[in-house]
Amino acid sequence: MKSKEVSDMEPIDNDPNQTGIGNQWDLFSRAHHMNVVESTITSIGRDGYYTYITNLPESKPKEITTDALLLQTPQPPVIFMSRSKLVEEAVNILRGTNQVHIAILGAGGIGKTSVALHIMGNHFIKEKLAGRCYFIPCEMLPDATILMQGLVQAIGLQVTQGKDSFKLLLDYLNSGQKVLLVLDDFETPWSGSGQTKIRNLIEVICRCESVSVIVTMRGTDGPGQIKWHKLGGGSGLPALVLGAAKEAFYSFSSDGSYTIKQEDPILEQLLIEMDGMPLAVMLIAELAKELPLNKLMEMWNIQKTAILKKFGLGEQENRLTSIEVSIELTLNIVRDKLSPTGKNVLRLVALLPSGIPDWLENLPKMLTDTNMQGDDTTTQAVILKKSCLIYQAGDTLKILTPIGEYIMKSFQGTDHLENQAWRFYESFINSLPQNSTTGDIQLELHVGNIFKILEIQIKKSFERSHMKVLQQLYNYSQYFSRLVPLVEIYLGWKSQMNLSDQTKLMFLQERMLSFMGEYERAIGIINDVEEHHKHQENQEASNLKVVTYASSITMNNAIEQTKAECNQRLGRIFYFQSNYTLSQQNAQQAKDLYEKIGDMRGVAQCFQNLGDICMMLDQYEDAKVMLQQAKEQFEGVGDRLGAAQCLRSLGDICRMLNQYEDAKVMLEQAKEQFERVGSRCGAAHCLHSLGNICSMLYKHEDAKVMLQQAKEQFEGMGDRREVAQCLRSLGNISRMLNQYEDAMVMLQQAKEQFEGLDPGVELLNAYEA
């Protein structure tokens, strides 16, 4: 028997200006309203599921038949990774209490419906409820009246003439039988214009003592004034970790012709880009059946989320087959709540790869221009969080990569945000505490943003402020691999730079390449500096109408200064390559040139280099003489860091000659000097050496304390080589104390650290310290 017709539906939005997803203009102004118009519900089978909403002409009501629902009823997915604990948690709660209301929340495509289906399919739930478990596809039930009738028919209640369907529903729910209602995609009725009626209905249902309810919906809040148990935590279902994403990918793509290696780096990078979104992982895995991973990576880099959909013949795009449609549905729900500031918040979070750390403080500072409109950035950020377009990890606002890429693709004209972010980060870097763990931690939180914004700014225009930031970032060796390309881009503006700045940047580039063990490239840059300098000086000389004696001396000194520095740098590279003969020759040539032009700091550095070479050749007496001379020269020019480095090297020589008391005095003095100049690295090296001396003197407890402190400091600086050295020393002490289990653990950790090191970089780290 037909139920009575529904007449209180919202009209269709027939705005002729509506456009499709591919439009690149304002995403919010064009999002579709999707409503069912004058639908007559004849019957909804149990466990019915409707995957989309149809816009219907008012003159022809659409019947939703049992057959149509059953044909689109989903089954619990066979491939179901990293969610079993959540299902187990829900099942245990449902089994252990008379009544519980569970909210499965999160972003679109995060797997909410799959979790709900697996909970329903659990044999304990089926046994306890004896079939009284009903799946309600709310995506097709957009208001309270239709939802109520859908519930009546999903349960299978018969509405007789003169009997009110709402009372019939409540009588059944209050009958004392245990019932579980799963309201899937509840955001559809909840976000409609009749939210008050929906709230009343869901609250009435949840007060029925024998009824438990599971809702799945986009966002972070369950509907109404109901105590919801939020599965997965307050922010909703988490994204898949990388390991689970790999398992899912292999399962989805297992019948493809392309053979995937277990440790394929392209696959790992591709899955990192999918950011643990189950729908995105499934869609990219489907494509991997047809295309090799390197091609998929190339397509992603160019087309981004446009490739995350099913491409089968006749395949219709909906929230289950297209990541863009899924994201668009969420935007459609939230668009009316966002002010222009809210849109800028969304764009900014999508722009910045590290998100917005300490967002309550930093977000208003990044969006200073939008604050002039009187909008509250904090309130708008909360709205976006509640919609799950963005999420909070600790104190950082972030966005899942596919969502962020879609936002960036859909919005144009983000120059003003890029400029505001640059002003923020320029100030941030200038105020960053130098040579401190606090500074390292703060920089690490923002470093992805800094490199992206700095690259954008360098490509836009030439500014000297960019060079200052590059030089400041040079103080953090762990980021050299990302800094070298930015220096290369900046050097593309050579025509607007003076010779001194060019030379500084090229030497900066050489130092980083040497640090990374790319010695041939580093030598090439040194040669380029020398040739470029000669060419520039010759050009300047030819432009002078009268070459005076004074100007000739100045030019010669500049050439010899550059030549000396090039020789010194070549000597250091040959030292790293263990070619001590060439290293010694270049260091000596550099010293002679520095002496000629009166650069005593350069002379001191060369003495230091020559002393280090003698140490490597076991020529300890010669090394002591040169290092002592270098120390005195550094002290003469006020270079306390250089003097401390020489004192530490002299202490290490005494240690190697078993002159432990002298060594301790020198190393303790050096440590104090390093600490005064803010060199954590130098101080940590002194601690390491002092710990080894205590170990040699059988003062094992003192040695363990010093070595542990040194290890922690090296870990904070990201120096894996020295961490490994400290672990090895600690392991040897434990072995001598017959603490074999501890020794095995530490030595195994040291072994793993050493195996991951480049020998050239290892030597360079020791030299630089």
Side-chain angles (χ1 to χ4, degrees):
M1 182 177 68
K2 283 189 178 181
S3 65
K4 60 182 180 181
E5 292 186 354
V6 180
S7 59
D8 60 345
M9 299 300 298
E10 296 177 4
I12 293 177
D13 185 351
N14 287 318
D15 184 355
N17 294 320
Q18 287 184 349
T19 58
I21 289 175
N23 194 300
Q24 300 296 303
W25 299 102
D26 191 350
L27 205 59
F28 297 95
S29 64
R30 63 180 170 73
H32 293 287
H33 294 279
M34 291 185 274
N35 297 305
V36 178
V37 180
E38 295 189 10
S39 297
T40 301
I41 301 175
T42 57
S43 176
I44 301 181
R46 294 182 183 179
D47 295 341
Y49 182 75
Y50 196 68
T51 61
Y52 59 91
I53 300 172
T54 309
N55 287 332
L56 303 174
E58 295 186 18
S59 59
K60 294 183 179 180
K62 174 75 173 180
E63 285 193 356
I64 303 174
T65 65
T66 302
D67 288 345
L69 290 169
L70 291 176
L71 286 172
Q72 298 190 65
T73 298
Q75 298 300 309
V78 176
I79 300 171
F80 188 65
M81 303 297 178
S82 192
R83 302 296 199 209
S84 298
K85 288 185 179 179
L86 293 174
V87 172
E88 183 180 351
E89 176 187 341
V91 169
N92 288 337
I93 294 171
L94 288 166
R95 290 177 64 195
T97 58
N98 289 327
Q99 184 186 45
V100 66
H101 304 310
I102 297 173
I104 306 176
L105 307 168
I110 206 70
K112 301 180 292 296
T113 301
S114 296
V115 172
L117 289 168
H118 272 273
I119 294 169
M120 285 183 61
N122 182 271
H123 66 280
F124 290 116
I125 299 301
K126 290 180 177 179
E127 181 179 331
K128 178 177 179 177
L129 297 172
R132 295 183 299 277
C133 182
Y134 308 104
F135 184 93
I136 316 298
C138 296
E139 192 175 9
M140 63 176 293
L141 308 170
D143 67 22
T145 303
I146 294 180
L147 176 58
M148 181 183 64
Q149 295 190 29
L151 284 163
V152 167
Q153 299 202 36
I155 293 169
L157 302 176
Q158 297 297 317
V159 181
T160 59
Q161 188 172 4
K163 183 76 171 178
D164 181 79
S165 59
F166 185 46
K167 186 176 185 306
L168 181 67
L169 174 64
L170 291 183
D171 287 345
Y172 173 77
L173 297 179
N174 284 312
S175 65
Q177 297 186 95
K178 301 295 181 186
V179 173
L180 175 64
L181 300 177
V182 179
L183 305 176
D184 190 49
D185 292 317
F186 196 75
E187 70 272 1
T188 299
W190 183 249
S191 61
S193 61
Q195 190 179 94
T196 300
K197 294 179 181 179
I198 287 290
R199 179 186 288 108
N200 292 339
L201 177 58
I202 188 68
E203 288 180 355
V204 166
I205 290 171
C206 287
R207 287 191 186 128
C208 298
E209 294 182 357
S210 299
V211 177
S212 292
V213 174
I214 296 176
V215 295
T216 76
M217 61 187 296
R218 296 167 187 241
T220 60
D221 292 329
Q225 297 298 314
I226 299 164
K227 185 178 180 180
W228 295 103
H229 176 87
K230 295 183 179 181
L231 209 59
S235 297
L237 295 188
L240 299 177
V241 298
L242 184 59
K246 282 184 179 180
E247 289 182 42
F249 183 93
Y250 291 134
S251 298
F252 282 122
S253 61
S254 60
D255 60 338
S257 59
Y258 180 76
T259 302
I260 300 167
K261 298 177 182 177
Q262 187 70 18
E263 299 300 328
D264 194 319
I266 300 178
L267 172 60
E268 186 160 314
Q269 184 57 44
L270 195 60
L271 291 178
I272 288 172
E273 294 292 326
M274 300 303 103
D275 213 0
M277 289 187 74
L279 178 60
V281 173
M282 182 271 287
L283 292 171
I284 202 72
E286 290 285 340
L287 286 173
K289 295 178 182 179
E290 309 294 335
L291 299 169
L293 291 181
N294 59 349
K295 182 61 178 178
L296 287 180
M297 193 73 240
E298 178 186 330
M299 292 169 65
W300 167 261
N301 289 333
I302 297 171
Q303 302 178 51
K304 299 298 182 181
T305 51
I307 70 168
L308 295 180
K309 62 182 178 182
K310 291 189 176 182
F311 288 90
L313 290 177
E315 193 76 59
Q316 295 182 355
E317 290 190 16
N318 56 53
R319 65 180 181 85
L320 300 178
T321 62
S322 168
I323 201 76
E324 294 193 343
V325 170
S326 180
I327 297 168
E328 185 90 358
L329 287 172
T330 306
L331 287 168
N332 180 51
I333 293 169
V334 77
R335 77 190 189 283
D336 292 334
K337 298 179 181 179
L338 289 182
S339 67
T341 293
K343 298 173 186 179
N344 281 331
V345 171
L346 182 58
R347 291 167 173 167
L348 185 64
V349 180
L351 172 69
L352 300 176
S354 299
I356 303 178
D358 196 8
W359 70 273
L360 284 171
E361 179 180 350
N362 290 329
L363 181 58
K365 294 179 182 178
M366 291 183 180
L367 292 177
T368 52
D369 291 352
T370 58
N371 288 340
M372 295 173 62
Q373 301 173 10
D375 293 323
D376 183 0
T377 54
T378 303
T379 301
Q380 291 294 300
V382 169
I383 292 171
L384 288 166
K385 281 172 56 185
K386 287 184 174 295
S387 72
C388 285
L389 284 171
I390 63 177
Y391 66 97
Q392 185 170 337
D395 294 328
T396 302
L397 282 185
K398 305 193 80 171
I399 193 167
L400 291 172
T401 302
I403 298 177
E405 292 293 352
Y406 181 63
I407 297 300
M408 290 301 295
K409 185 178 75 168
S410 301
F411 286 108
Q412 299 297 312
T414 57
D415 285 0
H416 66 293
L417 295 176
E418 294 166 0
N419 293 335
Q420 288 184 77
W422 166 246
R423 288 195 293 271
F424 171 84
Y425 278 117
E426 188 177 16
S427 173
F428 171 83
I429 292 173
N430 287 333
S431 61
L432 201 63
Q434 296 296 312
N435 297 311
S436 70
T437 302
T438 301
D440 289 349
I441 293 172
Q442 290 181 13
L443 179 61
E444 185 177 6
L445 291 173
H446 294 266
V447 71
N449 300 343
I450 292 170
F451 277 99
K452 180 172 182 178
I453 295 299
L454 182 55
E455 181 178 359
I456 290 171
Q457 295 299 315
I458 290 174
K459 287 180 176 179
K460 278 184 183 178
S461 63
F462 171 76
E463 302 289 343
R464 283 190 58 82
S465 60
H466 301 159
M467 179 175 174
K468 183 180 178 182
V469 172
L470 291 171
Q471 290 173 319
Q472 288 169 310
L473 290 174
Y474 171 74
N475 294 320
Y476 303 91
S477 59
Q478 62 267 43
Y479 305 121
F480 279 0
S481 62
R482 303 174 68 176
L483 188 57
V484 167
L486 289 189
V487 173
E488 187 70 34
I489 294 170
Y490 191 76
L491 283 168
W493 298 97
K494 279 183 180 178
S495 61
Q496 301 189 46
M497 299 167 64
N498 60 44
L499 181 61
S500 175
D501 286 347
Q502 290 179 47
T503 303
K504 286 178 184 176
L505 275 180
M506 293 176 77
F507 278 152
L508 202 72
Q509 195 178 21
E510 175 273 317
R511 197 67 169 262
M512 291 188 288
L513 289 169
S514 294
F515 185 90
M516 294 186 293
E518 298 186 34
Y519 301 125
E520 294 307 316
R521 285 183 65 190
I523 291 171
I525 287 174
I526 293 171
N527 293 334
D528 288 344
V529 167
E530 201 166 8
E531 290 301 318
H532 187 61
H533 227 272
K534 287 180 180 178
H535 173 75
Q536 192 76 10
E537 295 291 346
N538 291 336
Q539 189 174 34
E540 289 180 8
S542 65
N543 290 336
L544 292 174
K545 294 181 179 179
V546 178
V547 180
T548 65
Y549 177 76
S551 62
S552 176
I553 292 294
T554 301
M555 284 189 290
N556 285 336
N557 283 349
I559 292 172
E560 289 180 344
Q561 178 79 32
T562 304
K563 175 63 177 173
E565 189 159 359
C566 288
N567 280 133
Q568 185 185 357
R569 289 172 179 271
L570 286 169
R572 189 167 51 243
I573 291 174
F574 290 131
Y575 176 90
F576 302 152
Q577 295 178 316
S578 302
N579 190 337
Y580 300 120
T581 300
L582 282 178
S583 179
Q584 208 165 30
Q585 288 175 2
N586 278 274
Q588 185 63 49
Q589 289 172 9
K591 185 179 81 69
D592 294 342
L593 287 168
Y594 281 130
E595 286 175 336
K596 182 178 178 181
I597 60 178
D599 186 341
M600 303 316 294
R601 188 175 185 277
V603 172
Q605 290 173 337
C606 291
F607 270 125
Q608 184 184 11
N609 295 347
L610 290 166
D612 288 335
I613 293 168
C614 289
M615 281 180 65
M616 296 302 294
L617 296 174
D618 298 332
Q619 298 168 359
Y620 296 122
E621 292 305 319
D622 291 341
K624 287 169 70 174
V625 170
M626 292 180 184
L627 288 166
Q628 185 62 38
Q629 287 180 308
K631 175 176 172 292
E632 292 169 1
Q633 293 275 9
F634 280 127
E635 289 171 343
V637 297
D639 189 336
R640 294 186 298 166
L641 177 60
Q645 289 172 338
C646 293
L647 190 56
R648 182 177 70 83
S649 294
L650 287 165
D652 280 336
I653 290 174
C654 289
R655 177 174 59 84
M656 289 184 281
L657 294 175
N658 300 328
Q659 299 168 357
Y660 297 128
E661 291 304 320
D662 291 341
K664 283 179 65 179
V665 171
M666 292 180 182
L667 289 166
E668 285 170 354
Q669 290 177 352
K671 176 176 172 291
E672 291 173 3
Q673 292 187 31
F674 280 126
E675 289 171 343
R676 279 199 293 269
V677 299
S679 175
R680 291 182 298 140
C681 183
H685 276 280
C686 290
L687 267 176
H688 188 187
S689 295
L690 287 166
N692 285 335
I693 289 173
C694 287
S695 178
M696 296 300 295
L697 296 174
Y698 302 103
K699 298 178 180 179
H700 296 309
E701 292 305 318
D702 291 343
K704 286 170 69 175
V705 170
M706 292 180 181
L707 289 166
Q708 184 62 35
Q709 290 176 350
K711 171 180 165 290
E712 290 171 0
Q713 291 189 33
F714 286 128
E715 285 174 336
M717 293 178 282
D719 191 334
R720 294 177 58 198
R721 172 192 176 273
E722 287 302 326
V723 170
Q725 296 277 25
C726 291
L727 281 168
R728 182 170 62 183
S729 297
L730 286 165
N732 286 333
I733 291 173
S734 294
R735 178 175 54 81
M736 288 186 286
L737 294 175
N738 299 327
Q739 298 168 352
Y740 298 121
E741 291 297 324
D742 291 343
M744 285 181 63
V745 170
M746 292 178 186
L747 291 170
Q748 180 62 36
Q749 289 176 347
K751 174 177 174 289
E752 292 170 358
Q753 293 273 8
F754 279 125
E755 287 172 345
L757 293 174
D758 182 291
V761 175
E762 179 183 347
L763 181 61
L764 175 58
N765 285 339
Y767 185 94
E768 292 288 340

